[in-house]
Amino acid sequence: MTGSILFLLIIVLGCASWFFGRVKARRLVINSPDKRPIHSLPSYHGWYVALWAIGPALLFLAVWNFVSPSLITEAALSSPAAEQLPEAPFARGAILAEARSIALGKQTTAFNPLSLTMVKPYQTALSYYGTLGTVAVLLLVFACGTFAWLRIKPDLRARTKVERITMMALLMASLIATITTIGIFISLVFESFRFFSMVSPLDFLFGTEWNPKSVAGPPGDSGFGAIPLFWGTIFIGAIIAMIVAIPLGLMSAIYLTQYAAPKFRAWMKPILEILAGVPTVVYGYFAALTVAPALRDFAVSIGISGASSESALAAGVVMGIMIIPFVSSMADDSIAAVPAAMRDGSLAMGATKSETIKKVLIPAALPGVVGGVLLAVSRAIGETMIVVMAAGLAANLTANPFSSVTTVTTQIVQLLTGDQEFDSPKTLAAFALGLVLFIVTLLLNLIALRVVKKYREAYE
């Protein structure tokens, strides 16, 4: 029985356990001579039995799915047919993988004849361990469910136990993001230390030549200077994109909150926020096929020589359009959260609506607007697809917006694409770039959250 079918079976049996536990709890109330109420509602007793039936079985299933493939492989290798396999680990692994795929029905033919001789042992091992795992799971469901069902009594604190398990589940769910972030950071730090053991950190952080090679060059000429990448990331994501996103996003928020009719705002605001849900590859196509050629022709028409069809300006403009909802939504919420008394007081003093917006609403909502801008910047500097398709891969240290530049994320993709040697500085440079980008993005998000927190404390 496959793991997915077994999982569904556990869930179905858990629902049945919930039903029987609830029925028994209800009967305790009905059959009680003095009609003494039970400690918890019958539904909590049902959940108590269901959690006992499902929890240990799902835990065992997770462990079994991790352990059983190695047990199946060992059983297949212990068969007489395995004596014909070659000693080379790579060739043996390829044959076993092919035999396993045929035994599982994923393929019907074999490129190596030896794979066919291992199909039967694999099928036997799969059947044996599949049956063993199914029986063990079902026994766990029935044994644990029966144990919990027998413990149902009027004084059983089922609600307390169920709520405690629920709290633990919520705690684990809340820790997943934190644990994942810590894991990513540790992996980046470990690989970055390997990179910095081959390349000087000073050459990497302050060098102006980016030409990664499999073997690091002599000190001062390593070709791993990341300044052009850092500049390209700032130039596209933090300068050009913000020049587009901040005015358009802020003006959109001001119009929707202060001037637009309620009916117009009701359908215009969702349409504006749809921009955040468009896949970045679509923005990349738009930038490469529409915006970049138009900007190149414009540059040529005004006499700018050397204008490229892949330019920082094209990528930055389209990226700015993409992150308009980040600025607009935060600014919209911040302006709407300003107390009405401040606006009404300004109007009562004789200020016009535009003067009230400029001198009262915007200054009062500034912390929230700044938080939205910082979040938008952190989103922009992590963008890859638009830069790959519209800005190119050339690591140029230039302030010409019509020239081709590249960013940190684009180079990470390029360094890790294809067959790479993970003991060479060329590949490990991607982890060092990732660590720098991770730290910068984390700092921007922390600053944005702190600014927004201060704003909320001021007006809530």
Side-chain angles (χ1 to χ4, degrees):
M1 189 177 294
T2 61
S4 58
I5 296 177
L6 198 56
F7 174 78
L8 292 176
L9 181 59
I10 293 173
I11 299 300
V12 171
L13 293 175
C15 294
S17 303
W18 177 86
F19 175 77
F20 287 116
R22 185 173 179 271
V23 168
K24 183 177 180 180
R26 289 175 62 88
R27 287 180 178 176
L28 287 176
V29 179
I30 296 173
N31 298 330
S32 177
D34 54 356
K35 301 297 181 181
R36 181 167 59 93
I38 58 178
H39 176 272
S40 305
L41 293 174
S43 60
Y44 280 107
H45 288 83
W47 281 113
Y48 176 73
V49 177
L51 289 174
W52 262 102
I54 294 175
L58 289 180
L59 182 61
F60 174 81
L61 182 62
V63 175
W64 182 253
N65 286 336
F66 180 76
V67 174
S68 60
S70 60
L71 297 176
I72 292 171
T73 302
E74 290 296 329
L77 289 175
S78 63
S79 64
E83 297 176 357
Q84 304 176 14
L85 296 179
E87 295 295 332
F90 179 79
R92 176 181 287 232
I95 293 172
L96 292 175
E98 194 172 46
R100 183 183 181 88
S101 297
I102 296 174
L104 291 172
K106 296 180 180 179
Q107 66 183 70
T108 56
T109 59
F111 294 99
N112 194 319
L114 290 177
S115 300
L116 297 175
T117 62
M118 293 299 298
V119 172
K120 186 64 177 179
Y122 253 114
Q123 290 176 340
T124 303
L126 284 169
S127 177
Y128 173 76
Y129 283 104
T131 304
L132 183 62
T134 302
V135 171
V137 167
L138 294 179
L139 286 176
L140 270 175
V141 171
F142 285 108
C144 295
T146 303
F147 169 76
W149 187 82
L150 293 174
R151 293 192 63 189
I152 295 179
K153 296 178 182 179
D155 58 347
L156 176 65
R157 298 178 177 271
R159 185 188 66 184
T160 304
K161 297 179 183 297
V162 170
E163 289 180 349
R164 188 176 301 165
I165 295 174
T166 304
M167 289 288 292
M168 292 177 61
L170 293 175
L171 177 62
M172 293 301 298
S174 65
L175 289 176
I176 288 177
T178 304
I179 295 173
T180 303
T181 303
I182 294 173
I184 292 173
F185 181 73
I186 292 174
S187 63
L188 289 175
V189 169
F190 177 76
E191 299 296 341
S192 298
F193 273 129
R194 294 179 58 195
F195 171 75
F196 289 129
S197 66
M198 306 175 188
V199 177
S200 170
L202 295 178
D203 292 341
F204 174 76
L205 295 174
F206 302 104
T208 58
E209 179 187 354
W210 179 256
N211 184 24
K213 304 174 184 177
S214 297
V215 180
D221 189 31
S222 63
F224 287 94
I227 287 293
L229 308 185
F230 299 151
W231 167 246
T233 303
I234 296 172
F235 191 36
I236 294 176
I239 298 179
I240 299 177
M242 289 300 106
I243 290 175
V244 174
I246 293 176
L248 293 179
L250 186 57
M251 287 188 291
S252 299
I254 292 172
Y255 176 76
L256 291 177
T257 56
Q258 303 301 317
Y259 293 102
K263 291 184 178 180
F264 180 79
R265 171 183 166 83
W267 63 265
M268 189 61 190
K269 184 174 173 60
I271 290 177
L272 181 63
E273 293 180 348
I274 286 177
L275 291 174
V278 177
T280 55
V281 67
V282 176
Y283 284 110
Y285 283 131
F286 176 65
L289 302 179
T290 305
V291 178
L295 290 176
R296 179 196 58 200
D297 296 341
F298 172 75
V300 173
S301 66
I302 62 176
I304 298 178
S305 60
S308 174
S309 58
E310 295 179 334
S311 63
L313 185 60
V317 168
V318 176
M319 194 181 298
I321 296 173
M322 180 189 68
I323 61 177
I324 284 176
F326 291 86
V327 179
S328 176
S329 295
M330 288 292 293
D332 189 311
D333 296 339
S334 301
I335 294 173
V338 175
M342 296 180 65
R343 180 178 65 252
D344 295 340
S346 175
L347 295 174
M349 293 294 292
T352 63
K353 195 169 187 177
S354 60
E355 290 174 338
T356 300
I357 293 172
K358 289 185 294 184
K359 299 183 179 181
V360 177
L361 296 182
I362 297 300
L366 192 60
V369 174
V370 173
V373 170
L374 291 175
L375 289 175
V377 171
S378 65
R379 173 66 180 85
I381 65 175
E383 176 54 40
T384 304
M385 208 66 205
I386 296 175
V387 180
V388 171
M389 301 180 70
L393 302 175
N396 296 321
L397 188 59
T398 176
N400 183 3
F402 295 99
S403 297
S404 175
V405 296
T406 190
T407 61
V408 170
T409 54
T410 304
Q411 287 300 310
I412 291 175
V413 173
Q414 188 179 16
L415 292 171
L416 296 180
T417 300
D419 297 331
Q420 302 292 341
E421 300 176 356
F422 280 85
D423 57 351
S424 68
K426 179 180 179 180
T427 304
L428 295 176
F431 296 95
L433 292 173
L435 180 62
V436 174
L437 186 65
F438 178 88
I439 293 173
V440 172
T441 305
L442 181 63
L443 290 176
L444 286 174
N445 280 274
L446 290 176
I447 293 172
L449 291 175
R450 185 169 181 82
V451 170
V452 173
K453 183 179 178 181
K454 286 185 177 181
Y455 161 75
R456 287 176 178 170
E457 289 177 350
Y459 293 107
E460 285 187 357

